[in-house]
Amino acid sequence: MKKIFILFLLLISLLFSDYKDAYEDFLELSGYNASYKLMFDDRTILKVIHSELSTLGINITDEMEDDLTAILKNYMFDVKEELDKDMFSFYKENYSEDDLKALIEFYKTDIGKKVSSLTPLFEKKLLDTLDKVKAKYYPEMEQEIIKLFGK
């Protein structure tokens, strides 16, 4: 009985390993790994923090930026690791291994390669556009909300 259980665990781990390999290939070919690198780049994160703090009226000095970078480096590994786990779970729940293999084949085509190469640029453009729209509308919206709640 013990041997059957061990064999069962081994088979499960092999199946999981095949899925994990397909998932990692998909991330690389689809451009998501490049997007992750862009998202977790110190400059990108600092830009987001600058944007958030500037909406609060806080300007960051060079010294503060160095301190922020140190803080970010302390947390970003854990943040990325948690994101990776959550994203893997999401894909595992929504895509079969065959689905991932079909997507991998798509990303090997010319149009798939184009989509892959543009994915990080698209995501950067989306983030930049969100920053611009937020800067344009957030201060006025914030004032209306403050008026609404009387603060």
Side-chain angles (χ1 to χ4, degrees):
M1 182 69 163
K2 193 176 190 180
K3 289 180 184 180
I4 292 173
F5 181 71
I6 291 172
L7 182 60
F8 175 74
L9 289 177
L10 181 61
L11 287 173
I12 293 294
S13 69
L14 287 175
L15 290 173
F16 183 76
S17 176
D18 288 344
Y19 188 89
K20 182 85 170 159
D21 290 344
Y23 174 74
E24 288 174 4
D25 288 347
F26 164 74
L27 290 180
E28 187 61 40
L29 290 169
S30 66
Y32 285 105
N33 281 347
S35 294
Y36 279 0
K37 286 177 187 168
L38 177 66
M39 200 166 50
F40 285 97
D41 178 72
D42 289 346
R43 291 174 306 229
T44 303
I45 295 167
L46 281 172
K47 182 179 175 189
V48 170
I49 290 175
H50 272 276
S51 175
E52 292 297 319
L53 292 176
S54 70
T55 62
L56 299 172
I58 300 171
N59 293 318
I60 300 175
T61 65
D62 289 343
E63 184 178 306
M64 292 166 77
E65 190 168 298
D66 292 342
D67 292 340
L68 277 173
T69 301
I71 290 169
L72 291 173
K73 288 184 183 204
N74 284 336
Y75 289 96
M76 292 319 294
F77 177 79
D78 292 335
V79 169
K80 185 177 183 315
E81 193 171 277
E82 190 168 329
L83 177 64
D84 288 346
K85 285 181 198 173
D86 286 352
M87 291 307 297
F88 181 78
S89 294
F90 173 81
Y91 277 92
K92 186 86 170 131
E93 291 169 13
N94 294 286
Y95 293 99
S96 69
E97 185 177 340
D98 288 339
D99 292 337
L100 289 180
K101 288 179 179 179
L103 286 166
I104 289 167
E105 289 307 311
F106 165 73
Y107 284 112
K108 289 180 179 178
T109 67
D110 288 342
I111 189 65
K113 289 175 184 175
K114 183 175 183 177
V115 169
S116 173
S117 70
L118 291 174
T119 295
L121 299 173
F122 169 78
E123 291 178 2
K124 182 178 180 340
K125 177 67 174 168
L126 178 63
L127 290 174
D128 289 347
T129 301
L130 286 171
D131 283 344
K132 185 172 81 175
V133 169
K134 181 180 168 189
K136 182 177 180 179
Y137 295 102
Y138 185 78
E140 186 176 333
M141 183 178 71
E142 180 182 44
Q143 291 304 312
E144 287 187 34
I145 291 170
I146 288 170
K147 273 195 250 179
L148 176 67
F149 291 104
K151 290 189 174 192

